[in-house]
Amino acid sequence: MKIESSIKQALKDNNATLVAHYYVSADIQTLAEETGGIVSDSLEMARFGQNSDADTIVVAGVKFMGETAKILSPEKRVLVIDDQATCSLDLSCPIKDFSAFCDQNPDHVVVVYANTSADVKARADWVVTSGSALKVVKQLHSEGKKVLWAPDKHLGHYVQSKTGVEMLIWDGACVVHEEFKAEGLERLMQIHPDAGVLVHPESPKEVIALADVVGSTTQLIEAAASRPENTFIVATDNGIFHKMREVAPNKKFIEAPTMGEGADCESCAHCGWMAMNSLEKCLDTLNTGKNEIQINSQIIEKAKHSIHRLLEFTK
Ligand code: 13P
Ligand code: SF4
């Protein structure tokens, strides 16, 4: 039997749904959609799992996405395809140091990016995603609040520059997006002067400054479909090209350069942790029930509060 058929059967047997991020491989994305699951950004992944009737949510992505699903659906079994698949932003923000930083700044509202551990989310007042950060912080600014932001410094600086809010920013970064180079991008823009430039806000500010659209994965895909340009230069993980080509089959997509001194490829923008997801491991996870996300109930209660705020805000 083909592996896809075995996974489809295993999903049925377990009353499970497959929830995938745009950065995982095309075969997993296709399977998620064919089986009634979803392929989306981190915000919609969380929302979908919560609204699903399935008893088990299988998350094809990274650990924080599995944890978010568990926080929102504690009664469900949440399995991740590879429990070693994490995120440099999550790793950069250990709860002990983060908590001390919050304690030192009690007059700031604590806003954390979804790419964090359950413990960090539990310590926060708000959880935001790349697609919602700007709107939430604008609202907090209009209420006269000061913001403590973690962990992505590039997204933090972008939000600060757009809102003018007083902000303390944690020193974390995404190892994939941080590699995009403004100089190389400018050269590519000269070669393709009619191309639209789509940039994820985890990229450095010099790269963001060259963008026509700055947004979450979903926002960039929507821009690729709706904007008039026929060619796009894209600064985000190259897993996204599968969906972009699907929604805009006649358009051309070019990877923004990550090449710099000593680099051995022109664009190597692919998250090594997202790449740990595979169909074989997906079947193994479903058959064995391994890699189940477990979170202490007190942490779930606290973290749920800050994620719910976001879900309500973005409804
Ligand atoms: P999105 O919320 O835009 O999907 O981003 C998640 C992520 O990990 C980006 O690197
Ligand atoms: Fe984390 Fe970056 Fe990988 Fe997204 S692409 S999961 S932010 S390391």
Side-chain angles (χ1 to χ4, degrees):
M1 207 198 292
K2 257 183 88 186
I3 188 153
E4 280 89 346
S5 310
S6 306
I7 297 174
K8 282 178 188 171
Q9 191 57 49
L11 285 167
K12 271 197 196 130
D13 294 346
N14 285 281
N15 187 22
T17 189
L18 180 58
V19 176
H21 190 266
Y22 294 119
Y23 295 165
V24 300
S25 59
D27 50 7
I28 300 179
Q29 294 189 38
T30 303
L31 193 64
E33 288 180 335
E34 279 179 4
T35 53
I38 194 175
V39 183
S40 68
D41 65 5
S42 52
L43 176 62
E44 283 313 311
M45 283 174 82
R47 219 194 287 274
F48 184 87
Q50 187 185 30
N51 295 336
S52 159
D53 292 333
D55 301 318
T56 297
I57 304 168
V58 181
V59 174
V62 295
K63 192 170 136 216
F64 78 81
M65 295 172 175
E67 289 186 345
T68 305
K70 182 70 186 175
I71 292 163
L72 290 174
S73 308
E75 73 293 353
K76 293 178 188 163
R77 183 170 68 135
V78 176
L79 307 176
V80 287
I81 290 182
D82 190 319
D83 63 358
Q84 299 304 303
T86 182
C87 167
S88 60
L89 289 165
D90 186 350
L91 293 175
S92 79
C93 195
I95 182 60
K96 207 162 158 257
D97 300 344
F98 178 66
S99 209
F101 187 48
C102 296
D103 291 344
Q104 284 154 19
N105 298 286
D107 55 338
H108 285 63
V109 179
V110 178
V111 181
V112 302
Y113 193 28
N115 303 34
T116 46
S117 67
D119 289 339
V120 167
K121 288 186 176 80
R123 183 66 178 79
D125 299 306
W126 281 86
V127 172
V128 298
T129 58
S130 55
S132 57
L134 206 53
K135 278 195 206 131
V136 170
V137 174
K138 258 185 196 157
Q139 172 66 28
L140 293 173
H141 186 40
S142 74
E143 293 166 11
K145 306 262 169 54
K146 292 189 277 188
V147 170
L148 184 156
W149 169 272
D152 188 75
K153 64 179 172 191
H154 298 300
L155 180 56
H157 287 299
Y158 172 67
V159 168
Q160 185 175 41
S161 72
K162 288 282 167 195
T163 59
V165 73
E166 198 177 323
M167 208 156 157
L168 292 170
I169 300 176
W170 191 261
D171 188 18
C174 161
V175 289
V176 178
H177 291 85
E178 195 167 52
E179 288 305 311
F180 288 114
K181 304 285 185 298
E183 250 181 52
L185 177 55
E186 271 177 320
R187 274 198 296 276
L188 205 54
M189 288 165 73
Q190 280 160 14
I191 301 170
H192 303 278
D194 297 330
V197 178
L198 310 178
V199 175
H200 196 281
E202 290 169 13
S203 308
K205 66 173 186 306
E206 298 79 7
V207 174
I208 290 181
L210 298 170
D212 293 306
V213 178
V214 180
S216 73
T217 46
T218 298
Q219 290 163 341
L220 298 184
I221 290 164
E222 282 168 4
S226 64
R227 284 182 65 94
E229 294 93 340
N230 285 317
T231 302
F232 291 97
I233 304 172
V234 183
T236 192
D237 183 289
N238 60 24
I240 205 168
F241 287 90
H242 174 64
K243 184 54 79 183
M244 284 187 170
R245 291 191 181 111
E246 209 174 86
V247 301
N250 299 321
K251 296 187 180 180
K252 186 176 169 190
F253 298 100
I254 303 167
E255 296 184 42
T258 53
M259 184 176 66
E261 208 129 326
D264 54 11
C265 67
E266 212 164 296
S267 182
C268 2
H270 189 45
C271 176
W273 290 299
M274 288 284 183
M276 289 166 81
N277 291 271
S278 69
L279 289 178
E280 288 72 18
K281 287 187 205 169
C282 179
L283 182 59
D284 188 35
T285 299
L286 271 161
N287 283 340
T288 58
K290 68 184 194 182
N291 303 337
E292 182 174 355
I293 298 283
Q294 310 275 4
I295 308 172
N296 160 314
S297 57
Q298 278 175 320
I299 295 293
I300 287 188
E301 271 323 299
K302 287 188 189 155
K304 199 190 262 184
H305 178 67
S306 42
I307 303 176
H308 270 160
R309 268 185 157 169
L310 172 68
L311 295 181
E312 278 303 305
F313 187 85
T314 52
K315 231 195 314 215

